[in-house]
Amino acid sequence: MQIEIYNQPEDVRVFGNLVKTFPNGIGEAFSALMTMIPDGDKRAYYGLSEMDKNGGVLYWATAEEKSSVEPERYGCASFTVPAGEYLSVIVQNWRSNTDCIKDVFEEVMKDERADKTKRCIEWYYSDTEMKCLLQTNTLKELFAALDKAAKELNGLLAPLSEAEINTVPFKDSWTPAQLARHITKSNKGMAQALEMKGKPANRNPAEKIKELKDTFLNFSLKMKSPDFIVPEPGEYKKEAMLSSLKKSSEKLEENAAAANPNEMINLPAAFGEITKLELFHFVLYHTQRHIHQLKNIIQHI
């Protein structure tokens, strides 16, 4: 069995019914759905399954939505197959191999990249092929990248002397201490933002990630920091600076772990409407941008 990465480019809205007799009655549920929909043979179909609070399996037989009014029209529940990265296994000749689908998902769930909190998705996109899909745990990888960036930043600052952290390397540049203070203030602001009560995102929660990456990792682009995170002028004490930076990173990581990444909040002074998932990525790209800047500053000290 070969597990591959599949990237779902956009959300897919689906609708259907719970199979109350699961594991029996799945085929009948899909047949009934196909018969009920006028163009039922011209759509993709999805099987959605998850564990209930008692350890049982809830399974929905669903069809791709062509109009937002369809779920209500047909008296069905509606769901979203979210955009994003999935672990994927193709099952050939699925009509004669339905018994193996359970085994496929058991193997996929053993993969360390699998997000076991998400639904298992069966995507029936042709008469002969279907895909078993399970979302990857992208947050785990993201938090690891955030932790790595924080450690790299500290590793660059720690060897500098107190005189060096307060040295202006060239005209119109911050000192290393001022750069660290800027990151500290930004971290504190993002930690507070993640504590805000949000609302469900009305779009793909990851929509702005590419824009953020392209902007903040474009090192030739000159950017002006918002006034509220501009570092104060003057001399900084090294140990106090490093301690404050470390505490801000720890608080940010704590709040990120507790936040719902798919919530949207409004930060008019900085981003406008943005999801918490996008904020996680902003923190990463913002830190990586200033790591690049700090390395250049150190070369001139």
Side-chain angles (χ1 to χ4, degrees):
M1 184 181 71
Q2 184 174 359
I3 300 177
E4 299 179 338
I5 293 295
Y6 168 72
N7 284 290
Q8 173 63 34
E10 57 186 18
D11 290 350
V12 177
R13 295 290 299 173
V14 299
F15 65 97
N17 295 307
L18 179 69
V19 179
K20 297 180 180 178
T21 55
F22 180 87
N24 300 313
I26 295 176
E28 291 80 359
F30 277 112
S31 294
L33 192 59
M34 185 178 292
T35 301
M36 179 177 65
I37 304 169
D39 61 345
D41 60 339
K42 296 181 175 63
R43 304 190 187 211
Y45 286 82
Y46 296 80
L48 311 179
S49 58
E50 63 183 54
M51 302 292 288
D52 65 19
K53 62 182 179 181
N54 298 317
V57 176
L58 299 174
Y59 186 100
W60 289 270
T62 71
E64 181 182 7
E65 182 183 288
K66 296 293 181 69
S67 168
S68 61
V69 302
E70 287 183 319
E72 184 177 357
R73 176 186 298 165
Y74 298 114
C76 294
S78 62
F79 304 90
T80 298
V81 176
E85 184 179 271
Y86 289 81
L87 299 178
S88 169
V89 175
I90 296 176
V91 177
Q92 302 284 354
N93 302 314
W94 60 264
R95 292 183 186 278
S96 57
N97 288 303
T98 54
D99 290 345
C100 80
I101 292 175
K102 177 176 178 292
D103 298 329
V104 170
F105 277 116
E106 285 181 354
E107 287 301 311
V108 171
M109 285 187 176
K110 293 177 183 177
D111 193 299
E112 64 180 10
R113 297 169 294 176
D115 188 341
K116 300 176 183 62
T117 67
K118 299 298 174 60
R119 292 189 181 107
C120 294
I121 299 172
E122 302 161 19
W123 177 19
Y124 298 91
Y125 54 89
S126 82
D127 288 337
T128 58
E129 285 189 347
M130 60 83 66
K131 283 184 179 179
C132 295
L133 300 171
L134 184 61
Q135 283 183 282
T136 58
N137 192 344
T138 52
L139 285 183
K140 180 179 179 181
E141 296 176 4
L142 177 58
F143 290 164
L146 285 166
D147 184 63
K148 179 182 177 182
K151 288 177 178 176
E152 184 177 1
L153 183 66
N154 185 76
L156 290 168
L157 290 165
L160 302 178
S161 68
E162 193 150 305
E164 287 172 329
I165 68 165
N166 288 294
T167 298
V168 177
F170 43 82
K171 185 181 178 182
D172 297 327
S173 172
W174 287 338
T175 66
Q178 287 176 308
L179 184 146
R181 175 60 177 161
H182 168 71
I183 293 289
T184 299
K185 295 178 79 169
S186 178
N187 284 348
K188 289 180 176 179
M190 293 303 100
Q192 291 175 352
L194 291 173
E195 290 180 324
M196 292 172 59
K197 183 175 178 59
K199 61 181 181 181
N202 56 6
R203 58 169 174 78
N204 179 357
E207 184 178 290
K208 293 184 178 180
I209 290 174
K210 184 179 185 303
E211 177 186 348
L212 289 167
K213 183 176 183 179
D214 290 346
T215 299
F216 284 91
L217 297 189
N218 179 358
F219 301 129
S220 64
L221 180 66
K222 302 299 181 183
M223 303 179 71
K224 187 177 186 302
S225 178
D227 291 341
F228 60 92
I229 53 173
V230 170
E232 299 83 357
E235 298 283 312
Y236 288 80
K237 297 294 183 183
K238 177 181 174 180
E239 293 307 315
M241 174 204 73
L242 290 175
S243 176
S244 182
L245 177 62
K246 182 173 183 291
K247 287 179 180 177
S248 73
S249 294
E250 290 173 345
K251 181 61 175 176
L252 180 60
E253 290 180 11
E254 176 187 333
N255 288 4
N260 178 351
N262 295 326
E263 280 188 346
M264 182 177 285
I265 56 177
N266 189 22
L267 301 175
F271 304 101
E273 287 200 327
I274 189 167
T275 66
K276 292 181 179 180
L277 176 62
E278 290 162 344
L279 278 186
F280 299 163
H281 284 82
F282 160 76
V283 172
L284 174 61
Y285 303 143
H286 181 248
T287 304
Q288 290 174 334
R289 180 180 182 84
H290 286 296
I291 286 172
H292 176 84
Q293 183 182 5
L294 180 58
K295 287 178 178 178
N296 184 46
I297 288 173
I298 290 172
Q299 287 180 348
H300 286 80
I301 291 178

